[in-house]
Amino acid sequence: MHGLGNDFVVLDATRAALDLNPAQLQAISDRRLGIGCDQILVAEPATRPDADFFYRMYNADGSESGQCGNGARCMARFLREQGLSNQDRIVVQTRNGMMVLEWLDENRIRVEMGVPAFAPADIPLDHPAREDFYDLPLADGDTVRVQALSIGNPHAVLRVEDVDTAPVASFGPELESLPRFPARVNVGFMQVIDAENIALRVYERGVGETRACGSGACAAMIAGRLQHRLESRVHVHLPGGNLDVEWQGEGQPVYLIGGATHVFNGEIHL
């Protein structure tokens, strides 16, 4: 499946348990020797009475992720197509909290991504107190200014003049593994077009640059809104296509709206 080219292998662990190790996850994700994907998504039985399913996410390097908005939309379509749920509103657990998946129509799925967190300890970011911007050191002795927050996973957002010439290939991997982000970080490069439109490229931790990133779209919109540059509903233009993000302000949940595409079914022998 894919959401705007952010592609996934989606597995059902509700009918039979799965216990995949990092080497197996890496083999599935390998684009030459396996199926190939940005992330692997697994539907599991819920462990809480107020949830319908447990939604688990793994990066291409075998590490577990705490959030994926594009994947959440694919999970909503997967659960319906597999006959696991016929509800228009599905509540899923994740490693970092709860999400609500709403089926609006064939082309639009709305995901409640939760309330963003800004305290450094919640991101996590090694910094004594919350600030509007953080100046982070680079290996060449220079510094880069970012905003940092968590949408169930950590994000650093840089404002750039032009996403087409943004230093994604150089800054992305260096910032992702910066020691001040102990769980690593997703790095977004945001260009503000106007109050209702931004362009974005994202370097995802454990994956690299992807064609779209749902939680990254949310993080960038929130960062721009905190700079008083954006309205409460914004169109986010990514290399893979467009997403809509809604956020009313601090203490409120952020919503992600977009589509999800089923590409093929298959089997792999591990």
Side-chain angles (χ1 to χ4, degrees):
M1 305 185 78
H2 76 85
L4 303 186
N6 189 191
D7 59 334
F8 309 97
V9 169
V10 192
L11 305 173
D12 175 17
T14 65
R15 297 181 176 104
L18 287 174
D19 185 18
L20 299 174
N21 60 45
Q24 291 173 316
L25 294 165
Q26 291 170 19
I28 292 171
S29 303
D30 192 298
R31 297 189 183 277
R32 295 178 183 272
L33 304 176
I35 299 171
C37 62
D38 290 326
Q39 289 177 308
I40 295 168
L41 314 178
V42 183
E44 298 180 356
T47 61
R48 291 174 46 161
D50 55 347
D52 300 305
F53 298 93
F54 199 113
Y55 163 44
R56 200 174 293 277
M57 300 142 270
Y58 296 96
N59 297 318
D61 64 0
S63 61
E64 188 169 359
S65 178
Q67 181 66 286
C68 180
N70 286 330
R73 300 196 313 278
C74 288
M75 179 59 70
R77 179 175 288 277
F78 177 80
L79 293 171
R80 288 175 70 97
E81 291 182 346
Q82 291 292 313
L84 297 170
S85 175
N86 61 2
Q87 301 176 107
D88 289 338
R89 184 180 185 274
I90 302 171
V91 180
V92 295
Q93 292 174 257
T94 72
R95 190 180 68 167
N96 291 340
M98 305 283 278
M99 299 176 70
V100 179
L101 318 179
E102 294 182 81
W103 183 273
L104 302 180
D105 56 45
E106 278 294 324
N107 300 310
R108 293 184 308 143
I109 298 166
R110 185 175 189 248
V111 181
E112 181 183 324
M113 301 285 287
V115 178
F118 303 99
D122 295 332
I123 295 174
L125 168 65
D126 183 11
H127 198 79
R130 174 183 171 179
E131 297 188 22
D132 293 337
F133 296 91
Y134 302 91
D135 293 319
L136 304 177
L138 298 176
D140 62 5
D142 203 355
T143 61
V144 61
R145 174 162 288 192
V146 307
Q147 291 169 270
L149 63 145
S150 173
I151 314 270
N153 56 359
H155 288 270
V157 180
L158 295 75
R159 186 166 173 238
V160 298
E161 293 300 317
D162 186 348
V163 291
D164 292 333
T165 58
V168 179
S170 57
F171 282 16
E174 183 171 357
L175 290 173
E176 177 209 15
S177 300
L178 205 65
R180 290 183 63 184
F181 292 101
R184 297 186 294 170
V185 71
N186 301 285
V187 187
F189 298 79
M190 173 185 65
Q191 174 188 347
V192 176
I193 300 171
D194 57 42
E196 296 180 343
N197 292 273
I198 61 174
L200 179 69
R201 292 169 65 186
V202 180
Y203 190 96
E204 293 193 52
R205 61 175 180 169
V207 181
E209 185 178 3
T210 57
R211 291 183 56 79
C213 176
S215 64
C218 294
M221 182 274 196
I222 291 165
R225 190 145 166 73
L226 290 175
Q227 295 180 34
H228 307 291
R229 295 180 178 274
L230 300 176
E231 299 294 339
S232 59
R233 182 178 176 121
V234 170
H235 305 295
V236 183
H237 305 272
L238 297 129
N242 301 331
L243 293 168
D244 287 343
V245 179
E246 299 174 347
W247 187 56
Q248 295 300 321
E250 290 206 38
Q252 300 299 313
V254 58
Y255 296 91
L256 177 70
I257 302 169
T261 302
H262 178 176
V263 181
F264 70 90
N265 294 339
E267 296 181 357
I268 186 170
H269 298 280
L270 300 174

